[in-house]
Amino acid sequence: MKTITVDKVVDAKGLSCPMPIVRTKKAMGELQPGQVMELQATDKGSVADIQGWAKTTGHQYLGTREEGDVFKHYLRKASTEETKEEIKYPYTITTEELQKRIEHREKITVVDVREPAEYAFGRIPGAKSIPLGELESRFNELNPEDEIYVVCRTGNRSDYAARTLNEKGFKNVNNVIAGMAEWKGEIEKD
């Protein structure tokens, strides 16, 4: 396997969402357009997170290599003309508001876009597991007419997932802000 020449290496090993993205944003600000960065992460969710972040900001996602339990993500900094302002999905709901809707037994669909291990150790009862990295190939498992609430650990992956579903024609999608990190309601575990 050929060695990839990089201008900056960022260590995010042992960190979970949103920290690999936080470190990526900071490091990207230190690079010149056209330079390449290697982000090292152990969080499986970083694979989909980095690709989604690059797509929304205009920076080029080059690829990921897996070495043992480390994911090495490669990104090229875009020029000013190529970058996009990172826009958050406008339709959000707090964990408290979602909990009230669940308690009132409203007809809603909760989609959990975290990795399977995160889902297994604590989820909102009845939430459907579709990891962010699988959303593009599994969105047809959801009804575009349903009221959908997308949750992750902190609200970052779910932001990207909500935008993706909206682009696919889903009209009633909400990102659950603060995610499972702030969830105070009942949880299910495997």
Side-chain angles (χ1 to χ4, degrees), residues 86-120:
E86 197 172 356
I87 299 170
K88 293 286 186 186
Y89 187 71
Y91 305 106
T92 62
I93 187 170
T94 65
T95 54
E96 293 83 12
E97 292 170 315
L98 177 59
Q99 189 174 344
K100 286 178 187 167
R101 291 193 175 172
I102 291 170
E103 288 169 359
H104 290 111
R105 306 212 184 281
E106 292 184 26
K107 188 178 181 319
I108 60 173
T109 300
V110 177
V111 178
D112 192 321
V113 295
R114 297 175 301 154
E115 291 299 307
E118 294 173 285
Y119 178 84

Side-chain angles (χ1 to χ4, degrees), residues 128-142:
K128 180 172 185 62
S129 175
I130 303 180
L132 181 58
E134 298 175 16
L135 188 61
E136 288 279 347
S137 63
R138 294 182 56 197
F139 75 90
N140 60 343
E141 295 176 25
L142 302 169

Side-chain angles (χ1 to χ4, degrees), residues 21 27 35 88-89 122 127 134 164 171 188:
I21 293 293
Q35 289 187 314
K88 293 286 186 186
Y89 187 71
E134 298 175 16
T164 300
K171 299 296 180 211
E188 290 179 333

